[in-house]
Amino acid sequence: MTERTGQDQKALAALPVHIRARLDEFNQDLVKVLGSELVGVILHGSVARGEYRVGESGVDAIVVVVDPSFEKLEAIGDTLQRARYAARIEAIIVTEDEIAGASDVFPLFYDEIKQRHILLSGRDPFATVEVHDTYRRLRIEQELREAQLRLRRAVTDALGAREAIGGAVNRKVRQVRGTFHALLALKGIRVSPDLATVLAKIGETYGVDLSPVQRASDEPQAAHVALTSVLAKAIEDINKMAG
């Protein structure tokens, strides 16, 4: 039986009853079908962070297998489909060797999983994976620059519709929450990963008032200017780290 921390138990207990039931069914079906071919089933994302919101959040899962053969994938197809449509459980399928060899490609994703995840069954192959700062820095810069470009596009696409700009800022700030959190960690600043805490600290770190971002629907232009400003300062800072 997989032992869980009090924090993991609390996060699972906070889920709606029907979601917990579907997760149990999902896990048990995988164990039954895959047997010794199943290395582990891991939850990450909003469920693991304790930020699951009914009607908004999905359930992110990682199914680690020994060999993702055609036959094994086909055998678990029904289980994954039922989980997706009954409880928005979205699973990716990987092998242990793939996890070990891809920390350079997915450094921030791995960091988030290592920091907060729930092991439903089996063992945790992420426990021994090392992520290097070089890969973190490169990925952070890529994600920040992409956000910067998309925010500019949001203004031109809006054609003067300020509500569209506000919506774009709201979406983008949630998407870069993890990137900002990773940047703060790279600078040695440890904070809770929730959006409000990350925004407050990233604004303080770069001297930008991000309070308009929290009112993006009411103040779309000010929110856009604030988020754009902190992105520019963060990109300048991450470039300096490259030496």
Side-chain angles (χ1 to χ4, degrees):
M1 182 177 178
T2 302
E3 293 186 7
R4 300 191 182 119
T5 66
Q7 190 173 13
D8 290 349
Q9 293 173 350
K10 182 178 180 181
L12 288 173
L15 295 174
V17 173
H18 77 281
I19 299 294
R20 294 203 305 271
R22 295 292 78 75
L23 275 172
D24 287 342
E25 179 184 39
F26 170 71
N27 184 52
Q28 291 168 13
D29 284 354
L30 289 173
V31 171
K32 180 180 179 181
V33 174
L34 294 174
S36 61
E37 288 286 309
L38 180 65
V39 176
V41 180
I42 298 166
L43 301 182
H44 64 100
S46 61
V47 170
R49 294 193 304 269
E51 298 176 357
Y52 180 90
R53 288 178 172 77
V54 179
E56 297 180 16
S57 303
V59 179
D60 299 308
I62 300 173
V63 179
V64 187
V65 299
V66 174
D67 176 25
S69 66
F70 184 93
E71 292 76 15
K72 291 295 182 184
L73 294 174
E74 196 168 49
I76 62 175
D78 284 345
T79 295
L80 268 61
Q81 286 277 36
R82 286 197 304 271
R84 179 180 300 118
Y85 292 114
R88 295 181 64 188
I89 299 170
E90 293 291 344
I92 60 174
I93 304 165
V94 296
T95 69
E96 195 163 7
D97 287 343
E98 288 168 348
I99 290 172
S103 63
D104 56 339
V105 182
F106 304 115
L108 305 190
F109 181 51
Y110 277 27
D111 275 343
E112 183 160 342
I113 293 171
K114 285 171 69 68
Q115 290 163 12
R116 284 300 302 126
H117 66 272
I118 298 172
L119 186 63
L120 285 185
S121 63
R123 55 186 176 82
D124 176 14
F126 287 94
T128 57
V129 173
E130 292 187 11
V131 181
H132 299 289
D133 281 350
T134 298
Y135 303 131
R136 290 187 178 104
R137 194 204 68 77
L138 288 170
R139 184 62 182 176
I140 290 169
E141 180 178 358
Q142 179 188 8
E143 292 187 7
L144 292 176
R145 288 190 180 279
E146 181 181 359
Q148 187 179 54
L149 295 175
R150 290 189 180 278
L151 276 174
R152 292 170 184 166
R153 176 69 179 269
V155 177
T156 60
D157 285 354
L159 298 175
R162 296 302 174 90
E163 65 276 10
I165 296 172
V169 171
N170 280 327
R171 290 189 297 275
K172 188 54 62 181
V173 76
R174 282 169 172 73
Q175 290 168 4
V176 297
R177 175 206 58 80
T179 313
F180 282 152
H181 187 256
L183 174 56
L184 291 169
L186 193 61
K187 292 171 67 65
I189 303 171
R190 305 291 175 180
V191 298
S192 169
D194 65 279
L195 180 60
T197 302
V198 170
L199 276 185
K201 181 55 70 172
I202 206 76
E204 175 188 323
T205 300
Y206 293 112
V208 177
D209 177 13
L210 290 178
S211 58
V213 174
Q214 300 175 33
R215 304 186 297 273
S217 298
D218 298 322
E219 302 177 33
Q221 182 173 348
H224 189 280
V225 169
L227 186 54
T228 298
S229 176
V230 79
L231 282 169
K233 289 176 181 290
I235 290 169
E236 181 181 3
D237 189 25
I238 202 80
N239 276 334
K240 291 177 181 176
M241 293 181 192

